[in-house]
Amino acid sequence: MNTGSDDPGEVAVASDETETDEVRSEQERALGSRAPEFVKARRLLHVSWQVGIFIIGLAVVVAGIIMLPLPGPGWVVIFGGMAIWATEFVWAQLVLRWTKRKVTEAAQRALDPKVRRRNIILTSIGLVIVAVLVGIYVWKFGIVMPWKIKDQ
């Protein structure tokens, strides 16, 4: 029998193929720094690396916060900054995991037929109410332009 080794007394060990993909993906995405090994080996270099990552992530998060009231993908940029922080900081990795879990749960709830039906009914009722209010306003006051066309 060939065990894959020429050394006497060595025993072949079968790998455990019963692990699920979820367990493997959790093990692959272990918490902690993803800095290169040569950076982790030197304390001063690692701290400098973390400061740099923090400053870059902070700049991206601040840009996202600025984009919230302005045109632009504010939330996407904020989560991008969090992802930058998550390459180095455990707290950011935990926040991103929690956020992903909550977004997935919300998406599953939104796809539920009962919830979709309820949302469609509530939206329709809201549109009817707005249309009635606009109709009453136009009937009562008419359509008046904000500028005076006759005076020009």
Side-chain angles (χ1 to χ4, degrees):
M1 175 167 87
N2 186 1
T3 62
S5 174
D6 294 331
D7 297 333
E10 198 168 317
V11 179
V13 178
S15 63
D16 184 17
E17 297 294 331
T18 60
E19 288 184 6
T20 63
D21 290 335
E22 186 176 315
V23 172
R24 281 189 203 145
S25 65
E26 287 297 322
Q27 289 173 350
E28 290 172 5
R29 291 183 285 154
L31 296 174
S33 175
R34 289 180 174 73
E37 290 303 321
F38 74 91
V39 172
K40 289 183 195 176
R42 295 165 184 84
R43 176 79 176 140
L44 183 61
L45 187 58
H46 192 223
V47 170
S48 301
W49 178 274
Q50 286 180 328
V51 168
I53 293 293
F54 182 79
I55 290 172
I56 292 169
L58 183 65
V60 172
V61 168
V62 168
I65 291 171
I66 291 171
M67 285 184 206
L68 286 175
L70 299 175
W75 286 110
V76 174
V77 174
I78 289 172
F79 288 121
M82 289 296 295
I84 291 171
W85 279 339
T87 62
E88 202 56 39
F89 303 108
V90 173
W91 60 268
Q93 293 169 1
L94 295 174
V95 168
L96 279 180
R97 283 185 185 179
W98 179 83
T99 304
K100 287 178 187 177
R101 188 173 61 248
K102 291 298 180 183
V103 167
T104 303
E105 290 171 4
Q108 289 174 349
R109 279 194 311 265
L111 293 176
D112 181 26
K114 290 180 182 178
V115 174
R116 290 184 71 205
R117 192 175 315 114
R118 183 198 66 203
N119 289 345
I120 290 171
I121 290 170
L122 289 175
T123 302
S124 300
I125 291 171
L127 289 175
V128 168
I129 290 171
V130 168
V132 167
L133 291 175
V134 167
I136 291 172
Y137 179 84
V138 169
W139 174 68
K140 187 96 169 159
F141 300 106
I143 298 177
V144 179
M145 294 295 182
W147 57 88
K148 297 181 180 180
I149 296 175
K150 296 176 184 176
D151 292 342
Q152 291 183 359

